[in-house]
Amino acid sequence: MTTVNLNILLLFLVFSMNAVLSYKSMHVESGELCSPITKRKIKLGKHEDSALLVSQKRLDDHSLKWKVDFKCTFEIDVSSHSDGVFAVIQKLILRKNETTNECIDYIQFKRDDGSNISRHCGYLNAELSMGKHFAPYPFSSDLAPTGNSYIDPKGKLIATIFVSREPLLEGEETDFLLVFTSYKSCMWNKQDYLPCLPHQTDKCIYVGFFHDGYVNCPYPGCVDENECSPEKLSESGFKILPTMILKNQFRRI
Ligand SMILES: *[C@@H]1O[C@H](CO)[C@@H](O)[C@H](O)[C@H]1NC(C)=O
Ligand SMILES: *[C@@H]1O[C@H](CO)[C@@H](O)[C@H](O)[C@H]1NC(C)=O
């Protein structure tokens, strides 16, 4: 292997280790996130501490009827009053009554004043739901969030995860992976924060979340961010990462 190749490999290893370490990660079986008696408040910090991964570990172990429904409500709270928060469902498999189209299990987002309730079930996959073809003008600065995403400009998002006590039938499963990311105005921390969309100066996220295998920005076409803001990439220095590796990394989720 040539020195150049080796250097690239080392850089990639260092980068991917950082990428993995940079996320706070919690699962719904943890008492830190889900309590049967109270609504936990999860505080997002700055830089690599400004995002949270939420997943499940044993909820799909559900062949018997539970005594009660599983319901977990938590609040995502950002560190500064002026910041907001994005929620992006990376993947979701939850039961839906095909006759009534109602959710049997669901993930729900709302604001802390109870407004803008958004409920999700069925099958969702970020890579499929966030393609460029969902955006008529992929580089516009006022794109609507995709169907698997949610924006809370006040940064006090209330999330609920509900799984019915009814057992899973043969061939049914429950699974999900959510990413919450706080965003801030691009006026501050110019080196460390980049906009999701090239001309959008009010919503910047930590640069380390670009090309890390998780979708943080809620807009169509940004799948793992850089597609929405290609000119920013060359300034950030992360462009040595081969796209193929990143794509594969994303598929593994
Ligand atoms: C779906 O809803 C219908 C009508 O309420 C009900 O009869 C049926 O049992 C439901 N199916 C499931 C799988 O919950
Ligand atoms: C609720 O969400 C919709 C669409 O995402 C948005 O247009 C509207 O302004 C939101 N309402 C409030 C009170 O922010």
Side-chain angles (χ1 to χ4, degrees), residues 52-70:
L52 170 74
L53 289 178
V54 171
S55 60
Q56 61 97 22
K57 281 202 153 156
R58 294 187 309 272
L59 271 188
D60 60 339
D61 185 9
H62 189 184
S63 54
L64 300 174
K65 189 168 181 157
W66 294 335
K67 280 209 179 78
V68 290
D69 296 327
F70 174 87

Side-chain angles (χ1 to χ4, degrees), residues 58-101:
R58 294 187 309 272
L59 271 188
D60 60 339
D61 185 9
H62 189 184
S63 54
L64 300 174
K65 189 168 181 157
W66 294 335
K67 280 209 179 78
V68 290
D69 296 327
F70 174 87
K71 188 172 186 183
C72 165
T73 297
F74 55 92
E75 177 175 332
I76 299 287
D77 206 357
V78 297
S79 57
S80 156
H81 288 308
S82 52
D83 297 352
V85 64
F86 296 138
V88 177
I89 298 173
Q90 311 290 302
K91 70 168 177 189
L92 174 146
I93 307 170
L94 291 175
R95 293 172 290 179
K96 182 195 251 182
N97 185 323
E98 297 301 340
T99 318
T100 60
N101 225 23

Side-chain angles (χ1 to χ4, degrees), residues 111 115-116 145:
R111 309 259 166 90
S115 71
N116 270 24

Side-chain angles (χ1 to χ4, degrees), residues 3 27 29 35 40 46 63 108 179 183 194-195 226 248:
T3 320
H27 49 90
E29 290 83 359
S35 154
R40 298 282 188 221
K46 294 190 160 56
S63 54
Q108 178 182 286
V179 173
Y183 66 82
L194 288 179
N226 196 58
N248 290 337

Side-chain angles (χ1 to χ4, degrees), residues 207-238:
V207 65
F209 300 148
F210 279 65
H211 280 184
D212 64 350
Y214 298 103
V215 184
N216 302 83
C217 291
Y219 307 109
C222 304
V223 172
D224 210 348
E225 284 58 83
N226 196 58
E227 294 287 327
C228 282
S229 148
E231 73 271 33
K232 288 291 173 188
L233 183 70
S234 41
E235 289 168 20
S236 72
F238 290 132

